[in-house]
Amino acid sequence: MPRLITAALLGALSLTACAQAPQAPAADKPAAAKPATASTAASGSAEDRARAAIAKLNPRAKVEYVGAAPLPGFREVIAGGQLLYVSDDGRYLMQGAVLDLEAQEDLMQNSPALAEHRRKLIATIPHAERIVFAPPNAKYTVTVFTDIECGYCRKLHGEVGELNRLGIAVEYLAFPRMGLGSQDHKDMISVWCSPDRKRALTDAKAGKPVAPRDCKNPVTMEFDVGQRIGVSGTPAIYSAEGVQLGGYLPPAALRAKLDELAAKKAPAAAAGAAP
């Protein structure tokens, strides 16, 4: 049983997405995690012990953030796009849902640190490298990691007109879920290299043949960003603040989620503006 648990955690800390074929390693290798040693685990700061705990599970996992968790006695850790809680003594690790019964919310799902981590990574992708479907004066903008073959990606794209009518701009980023070097990856490069990306994406999602093209393109970069924020399937929808809104959502449900998020932000913004 311990071996199975360890395997599950190692999978959670990997940078690969589900339903994805093996691929060549990226050109830029992530920085090595701090090695776990007996002295580090027994002494040092709570942050050191959290890093050592992750390194003990997976020495290749890149720890990108360690901070105080809302749960007393734990550090909040972002590694491989995943949010984990590690006890201050480095002995216990939690992953999944942590419910605040008083506030009626999932602390992990609503982690400000994780949302900010995602927002910053997504912001590294220039606007010109995205495929954007936007109405005039959009009220909301969502980032969608998409694939041209996935059924729910196609369903979402079929409703992009309704999303625009509801005031939602959609900015697509490429996430070929079959992995780098796959035909899926090559077809998405062809879409991004098309002189009319929006038309090429729409045609590809409608099942039309993709004309082979090649050029300097952002597909691999966008795929890498998706992995680093923990995308595990497509579509993956994120708000402008980096909050994951879900996979496929009907237009009305997505608008409702965005309205709910905006309503939660309003009191915090007012409190911050108060003298």
Side-chain angles (χ1 to χ4, degrees):
M1 182 65 71
R3 186 175 298 175
L4 291 177
I5 293 173
T6 302
L9 288 171
L10 290 175
L13 293 176
S14 71
L15 295 182
T16 56
C18 63
Q20 179 184 306
Q23 61 192 62
D28 296 327
K29 295 183 179 180
K34 292 183 179 179
T37 65
S39 59
T40 305
S43 61
S45 67
E47 176 176 340
D48 290 336
R49 289 189 286 273
R51 290 181 179 275
I54 299 302
K56 185 176 181 180
L57 279 175
N58 185 351
R60 295 185 302 167
K62 182 181 180 183
V63 175
E64 303 191 67
Y65 169 82
V66 180
L71 193 66
F74 283 81
R75 298 290 99 183
E76 192 173 58
V77 180
I78 298 174
Q82 305 293 322
L83 180 67
L84 309 163
Y85 283 177
V86 178
S87 61
D88 287 346
D89 61 6
R91 180 174 179 179
Y92 300 104
L93 182 148
M94 292 194 299
Q95 179 191 18
V98 176
L99 303 179
D100 182 333
L101 298 180
E102 183 175 333
Q104 293 290 300
E105 67 174 357
D106 182 343
L107 298 179
M108 284 193 162
Q109 181 65 29
N110 297 306
S111 164
L114 182 58
E116 180 64 7
H117 170 71
R118 292 166 172 163
R119 186 197 67 77
K120 287 181 177 179
L121 283 174
I122 290 171
T124 64
I125 301 172
H127 188 267
E129 302 292 5
R130 310 177 187 207
I131 299 182
V132 180
F133 291 79
N137 304 313
K139 182 174 179 61
Y140 300 115
T141 297
V142 296
T143 298
V144 181
F145 286 86
T146 194
D147 178 84
I148 60 175
E149 294 185 350
C150 110
Y152 278 107
C153 296
R154 292 183 173 187
K155 183 173 177 61
L156 180 70
H157 190 66
E159 297 167 341
V160 76
E162 178 61 18
L163 290 169
N164 286 173
R165 283 189 287 275
L166 290 173
I168 303 171
V170 177
E171 298 188 352
Y172 282 121
L173 302 181
F175 195 86
R177 58 186 181 142
M178 297 309 293
L180 303 184
S182 65
Q183 187 60 47
D184 186 28
H185 177 222
K186 295 173 184 176
D187 285 345
M188 294 195 80
I189 288 175
S190 297
V191 166
W192 255 257
C193 288
S194 171
D196 186 344
R197 291 177 176 177
K198 292 172 67 174
R199 177 62 180 271
L201 184 65
T202 298
D203 287 348
K205 285 178 179 285
K208 296 181 180 180
V210 178
R213 297 178 184 274
D214 197 10
C215 65
K216 183 178 179 181
N217 66 84
V219 172
T220 299
M221 174 186 66
E222 293 177 3
F223 179 78
D224 177 64
V225 168
Q227 288 187 311
R228 291 175 64 191
I229 67 172
V231 172
S232 60
T234 51
I237 307 174
Y238 295 87
S239 74
E241 299 80 16
V243 175
Q244 184 167 10
L245 300 170
Y248 168 78
L249 288 170
L254 180 55
R255 173 61 195 252
K257 274 205 167 189
L258 290 165
D259 286 339
E260 180 183 355
L261 186 62
K264 288 181 178 179
K265 282 177 55 184

